[in-house]
Amino acid sequence: MNQPANKNYQQLCEHFQNISHFEHLSALGDWDQAAMMPTGGGEARGAAMATLAKHIHSLKTAPMLEDTIAAAEQESLSGEQQANLREIRYQFQQANIVPGSLVEAKTKAAYHCEQAWREQRSQNDWQGFKPNLENVLALTKEEANIRAAALNISPYDALLDKFEPGMTSARLEQIFGGLKLWLPSLIEQVQDQQQHQPSYAIAQAASDAQALLSRDVMTLLEFDFNHGRLDTSSHPFCGGVPSDVRLTTRYDVADFTSGLMGVVHETGHAKYEQGLPHKWRGQPAGNARSMAIHESQSLFCEMQLGRGSAFLKQLQPQLKQRLDCNLSHEQLLNIYSKVSPGHIRVDADEVTYPCHILLRFEAEKAIVSNQLAVADLPDFWSQQMQSLLGINTDGDYKNGCMQDIHWAVGEMGYFPSYTLGAMYAAQFKAAIERQLGSIEDLVANGKLSTIMGWLNHNIWSKGSLLTTDELVQHATGDTLNPAHFKQHLIERYLP
Amino acid sequence: MNQPANKNYQQLCEHFQNISHFEHLSALGDWDQAAMMPTGGGEARGAAMATLAKHIHSLKTAPMLEDTIAAAEQESLSGEQQANLREIRYQFQQANIVPGSLVEAKTKAAYHCEQAWREQRSQNDWQGFKPNLENVLALTKEEANIRAAALNISPYDALLDKFEPGMTSARLEQIFGGLKLWLPSLIEQVQDQQQHQPSYAIAQAASDAQALLSRDVMTLLEFDFNHGRLDTSSHPFCGGVPSDVRLTTRYDVADFTSGLMGVVHETGHAKYEQGLPHKWRGQPAGNARSMAIHESQSLFCEMQLGRGSAFLKQLQPQLKQRLDCNLSHEQLLNIYSKVSPGHIRVDADEVTYPCHILLRFEAEKAIVSNQLAVADLPDFWSQQMQSLLGINTDGDYKNGCMQDIHWAVGEMGYFPSYTLGAMYAAQFKAAIERQLGSIEDLVANGKLSTIMGWLNHNIWSKGSLLTTDELVQHATGDTLNPAHFKQHLIERYLP
């Protein structure tokens, strides 16, 4: 019998397709526990998810993989197959570094910590949260040290690499160092300019009405409801799988503007997932490229499209119909362009947002290198907030170091992706405007689909077939260049 | 180092705990696809669930089990541990009979068939549904034949045994044969008696209001919302896991009475799950005893409690508050005691319901023994409905043989459990009334908790520690005795 010429590669594809089925269930379990699960279900779910994580890990470290990957690398493969094999090897290597027992222990600790955090955060209960966080971060540091030894890089770089392959703290310090040179004065200038802007009364809006508006906005952004849904959770996110993307948001009855833009943001993530290459579903090459590229898509949707004048104008009929809201689009534009230092990262405007990331970047580096104990985190937080944004968070854990879910679930090294994403988004905007003309004009002329088409062609449909640098180079003619972000902020906020 | 005296048994417990984690995910996937998942997510979900089913099957047939079970049977175990080991062996034997490839193929075919059925049923599309059903039933028959050969019983008995261990078609023919002797004339008598009863105008009720009423009713029945939730689906069911029970129902805006009693029914299932022994969570001994016992709990809740005068009286304030419903409890009692032959099994009253089961029992036996082709099912259905209930279903597939989900997902041999459950429920009622007094009086005197306590002590907390016959004997002093069901119907409908 004839064997196919690339039987080792085919065997790997089958194996990773199988892994993707378990990852599907993992995504479902994550979404459900955040959006649906009652509190009492947490313990059993945590145990089930830990067993699942361990099983996925065992599949990714199956003994046959080493030889099969080596053999596949000798086979005759197309360019895309080679890219898939590169991603397969990367996943295998990453998984092999960390023992399954640690994966299981960390999953269990993270579930426990997150479940308790929801209640603890609302009660500002730092003392209750602290031991859980210490437990999760001890396991995260253990992981960082194991990864660092295997990859011969620093422990923090080893965490960064999980979310943004190839990213280093040295490069980040350079990028963020650049930011620090101009951002504080920009914030000051914008605040000066905006100081005489009126503030607007925002009428109460029932959650049900906001949910209908959210669906309108998602429809406008061409979200495919046959392959996804929208629910609520205490921490908005985009989960699920490409064929069934699960978005969540939260509604503030007193102020619809935050939930509305939250939906636009998460829809950006969702569009990326729904646009990933069908041909590569279930294969590593079919995954989203990186967390920063993912964030670039949500931020593009929110910042480059959603907060623009033309898009806000298009929303007006729905705002009137669903919420009986009479704000003009100029007023909405002012609301959505307002720069104002605040406690909460996810509520921050585009200009002060990077300060929240700078703080977390410094804290993560210090925690992983044992220069900052969890017990000292609240003080560190308050000092940094004071110095970066003039805000004191003493005793206000809820709006300070307890506001985010990331560390509670052991995700350290993720935060920088947000600001890298903002930079990529600005760079994509510049490229689109060079190639297709002004985004504002395109939206105003009903050509949102043209913009979506560009993103689909250049980003979404590429999955992980290209490396991050190749992807960005291919789409924009350059690798990451933070100058576009500065340019974008100046154009929008100091016109 | 000292080994524990029952190390083989302990090893089995760990293994089955691990299996329960994957079964947790399977329950979640099933609930989600019925209650949450958009249609477009079905294909990927089906593939993931098939892989999961195959994995669970491989764990239940792990090569080490045979010897470990044999060794554990020589160890010194408590009575409860012995019961758990009996259930472990049973699961191992059951799983070993069927090859994993068949489990995977059947799961995939069932998901495909069910997904399509939802749309096809609403469109009365028998031609579209038929090939899918043929595919699922071909695999089900293959399973039946394999089981039959291994267990040395008939193929249909081999299917019955999956849901009701030890049940045979011979015993069912005897039980159902008894029913046929008195049920038709009872239906006639009741209809005669009820013919001059007035009919009642039922006001429209919005789904949201009905959902609030459902929560009220579940609260009245002491459902623990910290360990479960209620949603809607096109086919009501009770799923999830004991620590997080997922109920679904559906709301008919034109007639709230059906959805309301549907919630009472599913809450009966849920109470059983929530009451399963904590100590045995994740072990086979901690599972519900059988499908008929499960159905006895939902039917007890619906028929013995929910449709009783005292319970309906208690519901009145909520009916007024949530739906502005002014029906007196006597009127509600008439509505909920109305006997009227109809097309739909799940909407059938307690008296005509067994006729729907008799039909399905005959159809299943005929299909599994190749005496009835799927193509001839609609004719068979219409003839049987005509003869049992005087109803013609020619061309009305939607309200005929396409109404149920069971065959679409490959569950043949399940239907008899419904009527066995009704019989067990009546037998439990008789036992409670002998031991504690009239159920109507207990409910009227605010002692619903006393009834729940009896069920918890005698049924729920026993899990699978006893066999079905032991359980029923222990609770009622007798094994299954259909006379109680006849007695119950006569008392209620021919007072």
Side-chain angles (χ1 to χ4, degrees):
Chain A
M1 286 214 333
N2 284 330
Q3 293 278 8
N6 55 8
K7 71 180 169 68
N8 289 288
Y9 172 76
Q10 291 303 335
Q11 194 188 339
L12 291 170
C13 287
E14 267 177 48
H15 187 73
F16 276 82
Q17 193 80 43
N18 198 43
I19 291 173
S20 82
H21 294 159
F22 289 103
E23 288 176 334
H24 176 128
L25 299 164
S26 175
L28 177 62
D30 279 338
W31 167 82
D32 182 85
Q33 72 95 17
M36 296 289 154
M37 190 185 77
T39 311
E43 198 182 319
R45 176 66 54 80
M49 293 297 280
T51 297
L52 179 61
K54 194 178 168 193
H55 181 60
I56 291 172
H57 183 266
S58 79
L59 291 173
K60 285 191 179 174
T61 57
M64 67 86 176
L65 285 176
E66 178 100 62
D67 290 349
T68 312
I69 292 172
E73 283 169 345
Q74 304 307 316
E75 291 175 339
S76 166
L77 303 176
S78 72
E80 291 196 337
Q81 288 173 329
Q82 286 174 30
N84 193 36
L85 184 57
R86 177 196 68 220
E87 297 299 318
I88 286 173
R89 176 175 276 287
Y90 179 77
Q91 289 208 14
F92 166 69
Q93 285 173 332
Q94 290 287 314
N96 253 303
I97 296 171
V98 186
S101 56
L102 178 57
V103 171
E104 189 184 15
K106 202 182 147 199
T107 305
K108 212 175 262 178
Y111 255 75
H112 176 68
C113 184
E114 180 187 352
Q115 289 294 315
W117 164 78
R118 293 190 206 179
E119 186 68 19
Q120 287 160 346
R121 191 197 165 197
S122 70
Q123 295 177 357
N124 201 38
D125 177 13
W126 167 251
Q127 288 308 323
F129 180 59
K130 188 163 73 86
N132 291 345
L133 183 63
E134 282 171 336
N135 190 21
V136 172
L137 293 189
L139 293 166
T140 305
K141 281 198 259 184
E142 192 181 331
E143 181 192 344
N145 290 330
I146 292 171
R147 284 186 182 276
L151 301 168
N152 199 24
I153 54 180
S154 80
Y156 187 60
D157 283 5
L159 293 178
L160 286 175
D161 187 70
K162 279 175 68 180
F163 305 107
E164 207 51 36
M167 184 52 67
T168 64
S169 45
R171 193 171 171 197
L172 279 178
E173 272 156 16
Q174 190 187 22
I175 293 167
F176 289 167
L179 258 184
K180 279 189 211 162
L181 294 180
W182 55 265
L183 191 61
S185 76
L186 182 77
I187 294 174
E188 236 171 81
Q189 280 176 273
V190 177
Q191 284 194 284
D192 272 358
Q193 253 199 29
Q194 293 185 344
Q195 67 178 317
H196 298 301
Q197 246 176 36
S199 61
Y200 305 95
I202 293 173
Q204 294 233 336
S207 296
D208 286 357
Q210 291 190 52
L212 290 173
L213 177 65
S214 296
R215 284 187 69 94
D216 293 340
V217 174
M218 290 166 73
T219 303
L220 198 61
L221 292 167
E222 302 172 2
F223 178 85
D224 176 0
F225 279 100
N226 190 37
H227 291 100
R229 51 178 288 141
L230 173 71
D231 295 278
T232 57
S233 71
S234 62
H235 201 282
F237 68 98
C238 172
V241 294
S243 64
D244 182 4
V245 180
R246 304 288 172 102
L247 269 67
T248 71
T249 187
R250 55 185 169 200
Y251 301 115
D252 179 353
V253 173
D255 178 7
F256 73 84
T257 62
S258 148
L260 174 60
M261 220 34 85
V263 167
V264 174
H265 180 97
E266 299 304 333
T267 303
H269 283 302
K271 294 286 296 176
Y272 189 7
E273 289 290 317
Q274 291 187 335
L276 288 168
H278 269 74
K279 187 183 158 190
W280 292 99
R281 288 266 164 96
Q283 293 299 316
N287 292 343
R289 180 58 276 176
S290 76
M291 288 305 120
I293 298 298
H294 228 308
E295 204 57 34
S296 80
Q297 296 310 292
S298 56
L299 286 171
F300 185 93
C301 217
E302 178 184 354
M303 302 303 177
Q304 271 69 27
L305 292 178
R307 292 180 190 247
S309 170
F311 187 81
L312 291 170
K313 198 165 181 177
Q314 285 193 3
L315 274 191
Q316 282 205 287
Q318 280 91 356
L319 278 166
K320 177 70 189 157
Q321 184 198 345
R322 300 298 187 191
L323 310 186
D324 198 23
C325 165
N326 290 312
L327 291 166
S328 71
H329 83 275
E330 291 88 354
Q331 289 171 326
L332 284 168
L333 190 63
N334 280 339
I335 291 169
Y336 280 123
S337 309
K338 178 82 182 164
V339 172
S340 171
H343 289 74
I344 304 295
R345 176 184 60 83
V346 295
D347 292 336
D349 60 80
E350 197 178 3
V351 185
T352 58
Y353 194 104
C355 297
H356 294 271
I357 299 306
L358 290 173
L359 182 164
R360 285 158 181 77
F361 176 57
E362 296 301 332
E364 288 186 340
K365 283 193 297 179
I367 288 171
V368 173
S369 62
N370 293 319
Q371 284 163 8
L372 177 62
V374 169
D376 298 327
L377 183 60
D379 284 347
F380 178 90
W381 196 279
S382 195
Q383 282 158 20
Q384 289 269 320
M385 280 300 280
Q386 191 73 51
S387 118
L388 287 160
L389 293 169
I391 286 172
N392 183 311
T393 64
D394 286 347
D396 186 4
Y397 310 107
K398 178 180 168 175
N399 297 306
C401 65
M402 283 180 75
Q403 69 182 271
D404 291 311
I405 201 173
H406 304 61
W407 295 343
V409 298
E411 286 188 359
M412 278 216 148
Y414 186 109
F415 282 118
S417 310
Y418 290 111
T419 290
L420 293 173
M423 291 170 171
Y424 282 125
Q427 188 162 339
F428 294 144
K429 174 192 169 191
I432 290 173
E433 300 210 321
R434 277 197 312 276
Q435 295 172 32
L436 304 172
S438 143
I439 283 180
E440 280 298 299
D441 290 350
L442 287 167
V443 175
N445 296 325
K447 292 190 175 164
L448 193 71
S449 291
T450 307
I451 300 171
M452 294 296 179
W454 189 95
L455 294 170
N456 187 43
H457 178 74
N458 286 286
I459 317 288
W460 310 339
S461 67
K462 295 289 187 280
S464 285
L465 289 166
L466 307 175
T467 66
T468 305
D469 280 352
E470 285 168 357
L471 180 84
V472 178
Q473 176 86 46
H474 186 269
T476 71
D478 196 1
T479 56
L480 178 62
N481 178 354
H484 297 289
F485 182 54
K486 183 177 179 186
Q487 188 58 30
H488 163 70
L489 294 185
I490 290 173
E491 270 175 25
R492 168 164 291 171
Y493 295 93
L494 295 174
Chain B
M1 285 209 340
N2 283 330
Q3 293 278 7
N6 54 9
K7 71 181 172 67
N8 288 289
Y9 172 76
Q10 292 302 335
Q11 194 188 340
L12 292 171
C13 288
E14 266 176 50
H15 187 73
F16 275 81
Q17 193 79 44
N18 198 43
I19 291 173
S20 81
H21 294 159
F22 289 103
E23 288 176 332
H24 175 128
L25 298 164
S26 175
L28 176 62
D30 279 338
W31 167 81
D32 182 85
Q33 73 97 15
M36 296 288 153
M37 189 185 75
T39 311
E43 199 182 319
R45 176 66 54 81
M49 293 297 280
T51 297
L52 179 61
K54 194 179 168 190
H55 181 61
I56 291 172
H57 182 267
S58 79
L59 291 173
K60 286 192 179 172
T61 56
M64 66 89 176
L65 285 176
E66 177 100 62
D67 290 348
T68 312
I69 291 172
E73 283 170 345
Q74 304 306 317
E75 289 175 341
S76 165
L77 303 176
S78 73
E80 291 196 340
Q81 288 172 328
Q82 285 175 30
N84 192 36
L85 185 56
R86 177 195 67 219
E87 297 298 317
I88 286 173
R89 176 175 276 288
Y90 180 76
Q91 289 207 15
F92 167 70
Q93 285 173 332
Q94 290 288 314
N96 252 305
I97 296 171
V98 186
S101 56
L102 179 58
V103 171
E104 189 184 17
K106 201 180 148 201
T107 306
K108 211 175 264 179
Y111 255 75
H112 177 68
C113 184
E114 179 186 354
Q115 287 296 314
W117 165 77
R118 294 191 205 178
E119 186 68 18
Q120 286 161 345
R121 189 194 167 201
S122 71
Q123 295 178 354
N124 201 39
D125 178 12
W126 167 251
Q127 288 308 322
F129 180 59
K130 188 164 74 83
N132 292 345
L133 183 64
E134 282 171 338
N135 190 20
V136 172
L137 293 188
L139 293 165
T140 305
K141 281 198 259 183
E142 191 180 332
E143 182 191 344
N145 290 329
I146 292 171
R147 285 186 183 276
L151 300 169
N152 199 24
I153 54 180
S154 79
Y156 186 61
D157 282 5
L159 292 179
L160 286 175
D161 188 69
K162 278 175 68 179
F163 304 107
E164 207 51 37
M167 184 52 67
T168 65
S169 46
R171 193 170 173 199
L172 279 178
E173 271 157 17
Q174 191 187 21
I175 294 167
F176 289 167
L179 258 187
K180 279 189 212 162
L181 294 181
W182 54 265
L183 190 60
S185 76
L186 182 76
I187 294 174
E188 235 170 85
Q189 280 175 275
V190 177
Q191 284 193 285
D192 271 358
Q193 253 198 28
Q194 292 185 345
Q195 67 179 319
H196 298 300
Q197 245 175 38
S199 59
Y200 305 95
I202 293 173
Q204 293 233 335
S207 297
D208 286 358
Q210 291 190 51
L212 290 172
L213 177 66
S214 297
R215 285 188 68 96
D216 293 340
V217 175
M218 289 168 72
T219 303
L220 198 62
L221 292 168
E222 302 171 4
F223 179 85
D224 177 0
F225 280 99
N226 190 38
H227 290 101
R229 52 179 287 140
L230 173 71
D231 295 278
T232 57
S233 71
S234 62
H235 201 282
F237 69 98
C238 171
V241 295
S243 64
D244 183 3
V245 181
R246 304 287 172 101
L247 268 68
T248 71
T249 187
R250 55 186 168 200
Y251 301 115
D252 179 352
V253 173
D255 177 7
F256 72 85
T257 61
S258 149
L260 174 61
M261 218 35 82
V263 167
V264 174
H265 180 95
E266 299 303 333
T267 303
H269 282 303
K271 294 288 297 176
Y272 189 8
E273 289 290 317
Q274 290 186 336
L276 288 169
H278 268 75
K279 187 181 159 192
W280 292 99
R281 287 265 164 97
Q283 293 299 319
N287 291 343
R289 180 57 276 180
S290 75
M291 288 305 120
I293 298 299
H294 228 308
E295 204 57 35
S296 80
Q297 297 309 291
S298 56
L299 286 172
F300 185 93
C301 217
E302 178 184 353
M303 302 303 177
Q304 272 69 29
L305 292 178
R307 291 179 190 247
S309 170
F311 187 81
L312 291 170
K313 198 165 181 176
Q314 284 193 5
L315 274 191
Q316 282 205 288
Q318 279 91 355
L319 277 167
K320 176 72 189 157
Q321 184 197 346
R322 301 298 188 190
L323 310 187
D324 197 23
C325 165
N326 290 312
L327 292 166
S328 71
H329 82 275
E330 291 88 355
Q331 289 171 324
L332 284 167
L333 190 61
N334 280 341
I335 290 170
Y336 280 123
S337 309
K338 178 82 182 164
V339 172
S340 170
H343 290 75
I344 305 294
R345 176 184 61 83
V346 295
D347 293 336
D349 59 80
E350 196 177 4
V351 184
T352 58
Y353 195 104
C355 297
H356 294 270
I357 300 306
L358 290 173
L359 183 165
R360 286 157 180 77
F361 176 57
E362 296 301 332
E364 289 185 340
K365 283 193 298 180
I367 288 171
V368 173
S369 62
N370 293 319
Q371 284 162 8
L372 177 62
V374 170
D376 298 328
L377 183 59
D379 284 346
F380 177 91
W381 196 279
S382 195
Q383 283 158 19
Q384 290 269 319
M385 281 298 281
Q386 190 74 52
S387 118
L388 287 160
L389 293 169
I391 286 172
N392 183 311
T393 64
D394 286 347
D396 186 3
Y397 311 106
K398 179 180 168 176
N399 298 306
C401 64
M402 282 180 76
Q403 69 182 270
D404 292 311
I405 201 172
H406 303 62
W407 296 343
V409 299
E411 286 188 359
M412 276 215 149
Y414 186 109
F415 282 117
S417 311
Y418 290 112
T419 289
L420 294 173
M423 291 170 171
Y424 282 126
Q427 188 163 340
F428 295 144
K429 174 192 168 190
I432 291 173
E433 300 210 320
R434 278 197 310 275
Q435 295 171 32
L436 304 171
S438 142
I439 284 180
E440 281 298 298
D441 290 350
L442 288 166
V443 176
N445 296 327
K447 293 192 174 162
L448 192 71
S449 291
T450 307
I451 300 171
M452 293 296 179
W454 189 94
L455 294 170
N456 187 43
H457 178 75
N458 287 285
I459 316 287
W460 309 338
S461 67
K462 295 290 187 280
S464 286
L465 289 165
L466 306 175
T467 65
T468 305
D469 280 351
E470 285 169 357
L471 180 84
V472 178
Q473 176 87 46
H474 186 267
T476 71
D478 195 2
T479 55
L480 177 63
N481 178 355
H484 298 289
F485 182 55
K486 183 178 178 184
Q487 189 58 32
H488 164 71
L489 294 186
I490 289 172
E491 271 175 24
R492 170 164 290 171
Y493 296 93
L494 296 174

